[in-house]
Amino acid sequence: MTAQGAPVRRQGPPVGEGTLKDLSHPGRRASSFALLEVPDAPVPEELRRARLPSLPEVSEIDLIRHFTRLSQMNYGVDTGFYPLGSCTMKHNPKAAEEVAALPGFRRLHPLQPDSAVQGALELMWRLERALCEITGMARATLQPPAGACGEMTGLLIMRAFHADRGRARPKVIIPDSAHGTNPASVRLAGFEAVPVPSDPRGLVDVSALAGLVDEDVAGLMLTNPNTLGLFEMEIEEIARIVHAAGGLGYYDGANLNAILGRCRPGDMGFDIVHINTHKTFATPHGGGGPGAGPVGVVDALVPYLPTPTVERADDGSLFLERDRPRSIGRLHGFHGNFGVIVRAYAYVLLHGADGLREVSELAALNANYLAELVKEDFPLAYPDGRPMHEFVATARRLKEETGVRAMDVAKRLIDLGFHPPTVYFPLVVEEAVMVEPTETETRETLDAFAMALRQAAAEARTQPDLLHEAPVTTPVRRLDEARAARHMRLHW
Ligand SMILES: *Cc1c(COP(=O)(O)O)cnc(C)c1O
């Protein structure tokens, strides 16, 4: 049907897998152990539960089939195109997986002495140097396990910097198109988030920004390219305005895949930058993690970096520096997600400087190609700007003409074999459809996805009810998007 093929039809029951409880029969077991050859040692009274937990009783083959069927219902970047805007779901080179699985990395213990882990420290040192070169920063920490944690790290550094200068500045300025994690991190780090509006081009309103900065502003937190996929044309002026008031510039570099090898946050005048290795350097996202959100800083902020740092001794050997009195402390156990760091370094080496440059070139080319193919039905929300690695279109006209919303289109795409793009984000765009194809897709895949989007728009005009009901071919039909978040039933 498409280059991706139709959704994979699994073997076994056609609908509704149910839970393990449904498969349970009293007395069935997934394993049988040999009789004990030693005397029974009863569990001490004080450790015994008053009431036994009610666990499903299933045979091994039923257990295996249940979980295998569930796994086949899943959708991942290894099974199909995943154009989820802002999330950068790109192919993870398998060579990097192989490197991370080398016993010398995999079997390390974090409590081994520095002298026994020189190779791992060397890798951390070299990746830090590479990230500093790529971002234009002086030093970096690899500790934060996600982009959001990188934000938190950078903001705590910002706070420590101002506190050291004897003035606690309470506010951080954030554009109204910011990624949702930005205002959340600002609050968590103890600041007040002050929004700066976007102008008609979808960029930071520079004169509004100038009116907002004062002695109370600790800094500005900016995503570039912003969440509309647009490059902030006046970025140097933006950094200058913030510095003039004594504030710091925080660069949300989660989208670094758009500018890799072309320009650097440090050269734009920014002081702190975080990178999402799981977006830029194609390490797996996992189920919300593990990832890595390294943070780079300029010279003046190095003393505040999380502890420990990797340092080189005079004899050339590497060691972990823990005695760092002005550090903000730890953000993660040991050194963050080390396996992810290994993959990121492998990715940098696999590509080299020219290859990384090509990554951003192809990311922007693919996004612009796709935007052109679908613009008749899904025009760009800000048509005057040239999107970079992702684009934000709007289904507003489609909704006015047919009553079919961006959400309906997204759900119909599942029937057509694709993971939906991000919808209703960024919030400043009505009926937003945010597409990030990434650089790793072929032209055939992009064409097939564009055809599916256009098919959904055509169906909206002829059979809108189909779209309101979609998806109609999946094991689970349309879910209530909000209920799980509003009516939580927690079990542990
Ligand atoms: C993805 C993203 C983040 C958050 O990164 P996580 O690793 O998901 O915590 C922050 N900012 C921007 C712009 C992003 O795209």
Side-chain angles (χ1 to χ4, degrees), residues 135-212:
T135 55
M137 294 288 134
R139 292 292 307 262
T141 174
L142 308 176
Q143 220 177 78
C149 185
E151 294 170 19
M152 178 80 179
T153 307
L155 288 162
L156 292 179
I157 289 173
M158 193 184 275
R159 203 172 73 174
F161 170 82
H162 289 300
D164 252 8
R165 272 143 198 82
R167 187 174 162 85
R169 294 177 169 230
K171 298 179 182 169
V172 171
I173 298 177
I174 306 187
D176 60 0
S177 64
H179 193 265
T181 50
N182 289 186
S185 300
V186 165
R187 290 295 299 158
L188 270 176
F191 294 107
E192 179 194 336
V194 179
V196 57
S198 306
D199 67 14
R201 299 171 301 168
L203 304 176
V204 166
D205 185 329
V206 176
S207 55
L209 173 68
L212 286 172

Side-chain angles (χ1 to χ4, degrees), residues 12 15 18 75 83 109 116 153 188 194 198 213 230 232 236 246 269 314 325 341 346 358 368 385 421 444 458 468 476:
V15 283
Y75 191 100
H109 192 283
T153 307
L188 270 176
V194 179
S198 306
V213 292
L230 302 174
E232 292 289 348
E236 287 169 310
D314 292 339
I341 290 165
E358 206 179 336
N368 280 277
E444 291 76 24
H468 293 311
V476 192

